[in-house]
Amino acid sequence: MKYYLVAGEASGDLHGANLMKALKNEDQNASFRFFGGDKMQAEGGELVKHYAEMAFMGFTEVVLNLRTIFRNLKVCKEDILAYQPDALILIDFPGFNLKIAEFAKEHGIKVCYYISPKVWAWNQKRVLKIKKVVDQLFCILPFEVDFYRKWGMEVNYVGNPLLDEIAQFSPDLDFRKNQKLSDQKIIALLPGSRKQEIERLLPDMLNVTANFPNYQFVVAAAPTFTSAYYQQFIGDKNVKLVFSQTYNLLHYAEAALVASGTATLETALFKVPQVVLYRGGAISVGIARLVIKIRFISLVNLIMDKKVITELIQEDCTTKKITAELSSILNGRGREVMINDYDLLSKKMGTAGASERTAKLIVGFLR
């Protein structure tokens, strides 16, 4: 069968690639066309547009890039119609993908949504639209099943695809040597994969390096940017870059400073104590505080339904506070408590196999 996938950011590319691999096992003649990234492209098929041209963060950033977004929507719609897939598989990225779902439904194309939109965070009535335009919805967070059920929608909980990726990971025993790192303990810096995130958060992360002279700081760099791009922020600080090595970095890290997003959950699953940072445009954050109805921004805290990791948001994202929180998780009781909570998180998350379970459900639905 023919599958058209749409992923609009790095995490979607990762999960899309794993799902494609699983679909090929279920459907020997599967063919793919997609909006995605390098990992999906490595699985075969035709890449139409790279997520690097699509990911805009925050309300004001979206408004400023509306022309590009509308152009991407137009390209996507026209390409789906030309390809006539047996199924459209949308991966997260709801601002874009729900519009594509509506279009596909109008044209009689079956719509599967993998990694359900986080409508529980704000404007929950969007569930009513999802019920109309999505044929099969696959959730990856345990609490989402009950949330959708309250709105009269039965969904599939498939587990979390990050567990698939981590289960496949095998650490590079020569990581330090290959990346020219010293024997000092590592503090990982994960400033995100989007330009706006990096430019807002990396300077904050780098500002604390002088306060921890006995540690080496290493940035998990996104492959869509160059060393020179990161170096403009690093300057003369003794901070290393590693590209496409995030899991190796987390495997060897003592602690981490992490941009809010999927990386917070990855860091927790690697049992690395962390501080979560978030900065957005002033207008975007002001609007978010009015409309978002959740207690936490990090997936770890949301899944555990309590504060496991500290979230330093906007005006709290200062050198003084980052230093204090990082100090508390490098040694002592704060570190021990967080790691114990991570063990409970792992039990809640379940086992690997989300991609395989989802692929079976999609192929079964289509047949």
Side-chain angles (χ1 to χ4, degrees), residues 2-74:
K2 294 161 66 178
Y3 304 90
Y4 199 109
L5 296 89
V6 183
E9 48 203 346
S11 60
D13 178 40
L14 169 68
H15 303 323
N18 280 334
L19 181 58
M20 289 165 69
K21 192 181 299 180
L23 282 167
K24 285 187 286 187
N25 288 334
E26 293 297 318
D27 177 1
Q28 301 298 315
N29 298 312
S31 59
F32 303 103
R33 194 168 175 86
F34 50 88
F35 278 41
D38 300 342
K39 288 182 169 64
M40 291 170 74
Q41 194 167 22
E43 289 300 323
E46 190 74 27
L47 174 65
V48 181
K49 189 171 285 289
H50 199 285
Y51 69 78
E53 301 176 56
M54 299 172 65
F56 301 106
M57 179 186 166
F59 295 96
T60 49
E61 291 79 6
V62 167
V63 171
L64 290 171
N65 290 281
L66 276 176
R67 186 177 293 180
T68 301
I69 292 167
F70 285 131
R71 186 165 59 245
N72 289 341
L73 280 166
K74 184 172 184 288

Side-chain angles (χ1 to χ4, degrees), residues 2 11 16 31 45 51 54 65 84 88 95 112-113 116 130 141 145 153 169 177 248 258 269 282 287 324 340 355:
K2 294 161 66 178
S11 60
S31 59
Y51 69 78
M54 299 172 65
N65 290 281
Q84 283 296 305
L88 171 67
C112 298
Y113 211 120
S116 61
I130 293 170
L141 298 172
V145 176
M153 186 175 182
F169 168 71
K177 179 183 173 185
N248 271 308
V258 188
L269 292 170
I287 295 170
N340 287 339
S355 304

Side-chain angles (χ1 to χ4, degrees), residues 304 333 335-345:
M304 293 295 288
R333 182 70 180 149
R335 181 180 185 84
E336 184 184 332
V337 169
M338 193 176 292
I339 289 173
N340 287 339
D341 280 333
Y342 283 170
D343 290 336
L344 295 174
L345 173 75

Side-chain angles (χ1 to χ4, degrees), residues 116-122 124 126 141 143-144 147-148 293-294 299 302:
S116 61
K118 297 172 183 64
V119 290
W120 35 264
W122 66 284
Q124 295 186 356
R126 286 182 297 167
L141 298 172
F143 60 83
E144 290 180 321
F147 167 78
Y148 280 101
K293 306 300 182 187
I294 51 176
L299 287 172
L302 284 166

Side-chain angles (χ1 to χ4, degrees), residues 81-140:
L81 278 188
Y83 188 59
Q84 283 296 305
D86 292 287
L88 171 67
I89 302 173
L90 305 170
I91 303 170
D92 203 358
F93 205 52
F96 188 93
N97 274 340
L98 285 176
K99 292 180 178 63
I100 297 299
E102 190 171 16
F103 173 82
K105 194 70 175 173
E106 288 169 358
H107 288 84
I109 295 168
K110 291 185 172 70
V111 178
C112 298
Y113 211 120
Y114 181 46
I115 308 179
S116 61
K118 297 172 183 64
V119 290
W120 35 264
W122 66 284
N123 193 7
Q124 295 186 356
K125 288 185 178 178
R126 286 182 297 167
V127 175
L128 300 175
K129 180 179 180 180
I130 293 170
K131 284 172 74 172
K132 288 180 183 175
V133 301
V134 173
D135 295 298
Q136 294 283 305
L137 185 63
F138 306 101
C139 295
I140 65 164

Side-chain angles (χ1 to χ4, degrees), residues 107-208:
H107 288 84
I109 295 168
K110 291 185 172 70
V111 178
C112 298
Y113 211 120
Y114 181 46
I115 308 179
S116 61
K118 297 172 183 64
V119 290
W120 35 264
W122 66 284
N123 193 7
Q124 295 186 356
K125 288 185 178 178
R126 286 182 297 167
V127 175
L128 300 175
K129 180 179 180 180
I130 293 170
K131 284 172 74 172
K132 288 180 183 175
V133 301
V134 173
D135 295 298
Q136 294 283 305
L137 185 63
F138 306 101
C139 295
I140 65 164
L141 298 172
F143 60 83
E144 290 180 321
V145 176
D146 287 337
F147 167 78
Y148 280 101
R149 191 168 287 147
K150 285 175 187 172
W151 284 88
M153 186 175 182
E154 290 299 320
V155 300
N156 301 284
Y157 176 64
V158 293
N160 199 290
L162 285 180
L163 297 170
D164 298 18
E165 190 68 16
I166 291 169
Q168 295 168 22
F169 168 71
S170 180
D172 177 4
L173 300 179
D174 294 318
F175 174 70
R176 288 177 183 270
K177 179 183 173 185
N178 292 339
Q179 300 298 327
K180 298 181 173 58
L181 303 179
S182 73
D183 292 331
Q184 282 183 308
K185 290 178 178 178
I186 294 169
I187 296 175
L189 304 181
L190 280 66
S193 60
R194 292 180 284 203
K195 193 168 184 282
Q196 292 102 323
E197 283 181 306
I198 296 165
E199 292 180 356
R200 287 183 178 135
L201 289 178
L202 187 54
D204 287 320
M205 294 176 172
L206 294 169
N207 282 342
V208 306

